[in-house]
Amino acid sequence: MTVRVRIAPSPTGDPHVGTAYIGLINYAFAKKNGGKFVLRIEDTDQTRCTPESAKAIYDSLKWLGLCYDEGPMHDGMGGGDRGPYIQSERVKAGIYQKFADKLLEQGDAYYCFCTARDLDAMRKRQQANNEPIMYNRRCRGGSLAEARERAAKGEAFVIRMKTPLEGEFVYKDRLRKQPTVKGWKEIDDQVLLKSDGWPTYHLAAVVDDHLMGITHVIRAEEWLNSLPKHIWLNEHLGFTAPEYVHVGLLRNADKSKISKRKNPTSLLWYQKQGYLPEALLNFLALLGHSHPDGQEKFTLAEMCSFFDLDRINVAGPVFDMAKLRHLQGQYFRDLSPERMKAEVYRAIDSKFDALLPLVKERMVFGGDFVWQSEPFYADSVTLHAEDLLPKGLDKTQAKHLLEETQQAFKRYVAGDGAVWDAPSLEAFVRKFIEDRTAPGALPDATPEVQSEAALWSPKSLFMLLRVAATGKRESPPLFDTLAQIGQAKVIERLGLAQQKLR
RNA sequence: GCUCCCAUCGUCUAGAGGCCUAGGACACCAGAUUUUCAUUCUGGCGACACGAGUUCGAAUCUCGUUGGGAGUACCA
């Protein structure tokens, strides 16, 4: 039997680093076993999926070098005779409806007419009573003929699976020590077909994995809980189930499932930042799996040759940006002069158009751009304490001003509808100064602070901010500069300036 | 709440009963090289969550506790 594996991302938002991770594992497993790596687009949520997002997935996989053997045709990848590989197209071909009907006929599924309101109320009740939260199966007993009549009259419905009411589900995942055992009564009568007639993930994935001849479903742990449903569906649809294997979830530094709030998750971001695909892939390859000899730097092809599914560690690894950065450096320095040049130009180009109008006022020669725009590209700036002391300020005072301004920026950024552009920033900072210096603005303040208020002049604060943000006493207009540097870096550099004044 | 999963240095991991006074990598600290910085090299810090068993012997097996995570949608 030839190995056939798949990744089945949902095209919502930016392509996700988790897709790359699971993709890498599947890809390596396929190649190691001389099998096929399939891409299927799971766009059955009509409200969230977009074609642009699907395209970004193809491009990202291509960028990483995880070229799929079968899938939507794109840029030399894809094709195959088990298509279409986009579920929305399969919906239109009536594929899922057919299998839902089969279950209905067999008495393994039923029409459910409960409304969202009903379900909501039910859930609230269960929550209040500390009961497990699941559908109460109210519609389960109804006759099929009667239900079909109601449906024909235009009443909204979904189709649910008729989960066994008793007994146990047992499945041994090859990566887990113990078999998964679950009482069927804990398992919900999952919706299979939504009221718009489109399938949910559960039905669509099981049907397509079968139709596409998938032999191994290697996916993230978050699916482990719905495994019984998927096995059940395979059985009742008369399919030979693929082997299901669940690997650990990528984590934030706090061990929670990786999320864009706490970690960059968009592959587009890594690409834009200048991360090399080889480096990112190599880094991902180190998570949950390792080279048998402890080697840490290797190519995709090498990984494919030593990859061993059974050596995967299912504890969810933390995505450690520091280590990624290290590998990126290793790969970058190994680049050929041509490729390195291309990377450098690309990095400059990424901000060039936005920066040139600001910087050009002080330029005499083309080369001046390089040093004058340095603070905008640099990861960090070098500060000199003496530059941070505008006329008339001492260390403590300057530090206070920086501290308070930094706090103000933080509040500003956290606020609703905060716009980080030059006019907004200027308005904000001027208002901030005004509030600080208005007579009686701080009635409860100590005399010390009161006297400090006199120092809040635009002139000294602006210079302070300029130096803190850029490390230089000369720069393009302050607010344009702050806007271009970006909120995160500005706030960070304001903090570093305070440390410098200690 | 309920169900399920997981558990070696701060992080990624090696380790499938004696080779473990637990190895490597990142980070961190110190030193060498470098005019500086970075690179590179050397050294240091640093973990088997806890408690019972099984065994002559346990990081490795079993059970419990604790901790962390996931799921609980007409999202995937």
Side-chain angles (χ1 to χ4, degrees):
Chain A
M1 183 177 63
T2 11
V3 164
R4 292 174 59 83
V5 295
R6 80 320 100 138
I7 50 170
S10 185
T12 57
D14 284 358
H16 201 270
V17 70
T19 302
Y21 180 59
I22 298 293
L24 172 64
I25 291 171
N26 276 280
Y27 181 92
F29 181 68
K31 298 301 158 185
K32 166 80 187 200
N33 293 290
K36 295 278 188 234
F37 174 57
V38 180
L39 173 70
R40 182 174 69 230
I41 296 295
E42 306 227 326
D43 57 346
T44 55
D45 183 340
Q46 296 186 75
T47 59
R48 296 170 63 220
C49 297
T50 64
E52 297 74 53
S53 183
K55 182 175 178 301
I57 291 172
Y58 312 144
D59 288 336
S60 291
L61 289 174
K62 176 91 187 191
W63 175 64
L64 285 165
L66 298 176
C67 299
Y68 46 89
D69 303 305
E70 283 180 33
M73 299 274 262
H74 186 83
D75 201 0
M77 300 180 294
D81 53 9
R82 310 244 191 169
Y85 294 89
I86 299 180
Q87 285 183 335
S88 55
E89 293 174 18
R90 301 171 72 78
V91 170
K92 284 160 193 158
I95 292 174
Y96 309 108
Q97 182 70 52
K98 206 174 75 194
F99 287 98
D101 284 341
K102 178 175 157 72
L103 291 171
L104 245 16
E105 293 295 340
Q106 289 172 189
D108 287 326
Y110 59 95
Y111 283 81
C112 168
F113 298 93
C114 295
T115 63
R117 281 249 308 271
D118 296 339
L119 298 177
D120 214 44
M122 185 189 69
R123 219 168 284 137
K124 289 227 172 69
R125 213 177 317 122
Q126 289 167 338
Q127 222 147 29
N129 298 336
N130 274 346
E131 289 166 18
I133 294 162
M134 59 197 287
Y135 178 56
N136 64 10
R137 302 181 164 132
R138 196 172 69 174
C139 298
R140 179 160 165 145
S143 90
L144 182 56
E146 206 174 293
R148 281 195 164 142
E149 223 166 275
R150 284 174 76 180
K153 274 191 229 146
E155 204 171 327
F157 67 91
V158 301
I159 291 179
R160 288 181 181 272
M161 61 184 269
K162 208 179 266 184
T163 309
L165 266 7
E166 53 190 20
E168 261 179 353
F169 166 84
V170 182
Y171 185 87
K172 173 73 176 72
D173 184 315
R174 75 201 287 179
L175 296 179
R176 316 267 155 176
K177 280 189 217 124
Q178 300 293 331
T180 297
V181 179
K182 224 167 153 149
W184 276 111
K185 64 174 188 303
E186 314 286 352
I187 297 162
D188 212 351
D189 280 359
Q190 184 59 238
V191 171
L192 262 19
L193 226 48
K194 304 183 261 191
S195 55
D196 60 4
W198 288 44
T200 58
Y201 170 85
H202 306 280
L203 211 217
V206 166
V207 165
D208 286 345
D209 285 338
H210 172 256
L211 262 20
M212 293 179 182
I214 301 303
T215 57
H216 303 257
V217 172
I218 307 169
R219 49 162 37 167
E221 203 176 20
E222 53 190 336
W223 294 111
L224 199 50
N225 285 290
S226 34
L227 180 63
K229 295 168 192 168
H230 299 162
I231 300 276
W232 185 93
L233 280 168
N234 272 287
E235 284 171 358
H236 289 254
L237 256 9
F239 305 158
T240 304
E243 178 174 356
Y244 289 96
V245 183
H246 298 87
V247 304
L249 237 27
L250 257 25
R251 312 291 182 99
N252 298 312
D254 66 3
K255 301 282 178 92
S256 58
K257 168 168 142 180
I258 198 164
S259 62
K260 63 180 168 192
R261 283 259 164 245
K262 298 176 181 172
N263 216 323
T265 57
S266 168
L267 293 172
L268 267 21
W269 183 88
Y270 290 94
Q271 196 171 4
K272 194 167 151 237
Q273 267 323 285
Y275 282 93
L276 298 165
E278 306 92 304
L280 181 56
L281 219 44
N282 194 152
F283 170 69
L284 255 17
L286 260 18
L287 305 179
H289 191 260
S290 58
H291 186 108
D293 300 331
Q295 192 182 323
E296 299 238 347
K297 190 168 174 246
F298 43 76
T299 63
L300 214 209
E302 283 169 323
M303 177 181 178
C304 291
S305 68
F306 70 75
F307 180 80
D308 180 357
L309 185 58
D310 292 304
R311 287 188 62 245
I312 288 193
N313 177 190
V314 294
V318 170
F319 191 97
D320 181 7
M321 291 295 283
K323 185 144 185 175
L324 205 210
R325 186 189 159 81
H326 166 79
L327 268 171
Q328 161 71 15
Q330 301 269 318
Y331 275 93
F332 187 83
R333 282 176 236 116
D334 273 352
L335 251 28
S336 67
E338 294 74 32
R339 249 195 98 186
M340 197 175 285
K341 181 172 168 184
E343 285 299 317
V344 171
Y345 281 22
R346 202 172 68 94
I348 293 171
D349 271 349
S350 71
K351 294 184 178 176
F352 186 83
D353 292 343
L355 253 28
L356 190 63
L358 303 185
V359 173
K360 73 174 186 189
E361 305 296 333
R362 270 154 289 273
M363 283 173 65
V364 177
F365 298 104
D368 291 341
F369 179 83
V370 176
W371 64 268
Q372 291 192 10
S373 57
E374 189 259 352
F376 299 97
Y377 289 104
D379 208 36
S380 58
V381 294
T382 310
L383 297 166
H384 301 283
E386 59 274 22
D387 291 338
L388 283 163
L389 297 172
K391 256 188 290 196
L393 287 187
D394 65 26
K395 269 193 173 191
T396 323
Q397 293 167 331
K399 200 172 151 225
H400 278 165
L401 296 199
L402 285 168
E403 198 176 338
E404 292 202 29
T405 312
Q406 187 192 27
Q407 292 307 322
F409 277 144
K410 280 187 184 166
R411 285 195 300 273
Y412 178 71
V413 168
D416 279 343
V419 180
W420 192 268
D421 66 12
S424 313
L425 284 170
E426 175 154 13
F428 172 73
V429 173
R430 286 193 187 278
K431 175 84 168 33
F432 178 60
I433 294 174
E434 245 172 63
D435 292 348
R436 279 306 309 251
T437 52
L442 300 164
D444 300 330
T446 60
E448 195 189 15
V449 173
Q450 295 255 8
S451 74
E452 208 172 75
L455 305 168
W456 285 84
S457 71
K459 190 174 174 173
S460 51
L461 184 64
F462 287 8
M463 181 50 88
L464 202 49
L465 292 178
R466 180 189 315 285
V467 174
T470 66
K472 297 171 191 274
R473 297 178 64 87
E474 59 285 329
S475 82
L478 178 65
F479 297 104
D480 291 303
T481 298
L482 297 182
Q484 272 305 317
I485 289 176
Q487 44 182 255
K489 275 191 185 169
V490 167
I491 289 171
E492 182 192 326
R493 290 177 189 181
L494 251 30
L496 292 173
Q498 290 165 52
Q499 281 178 24
K500 203 76 189 176
L501 287 169
R502 265 207 297 228

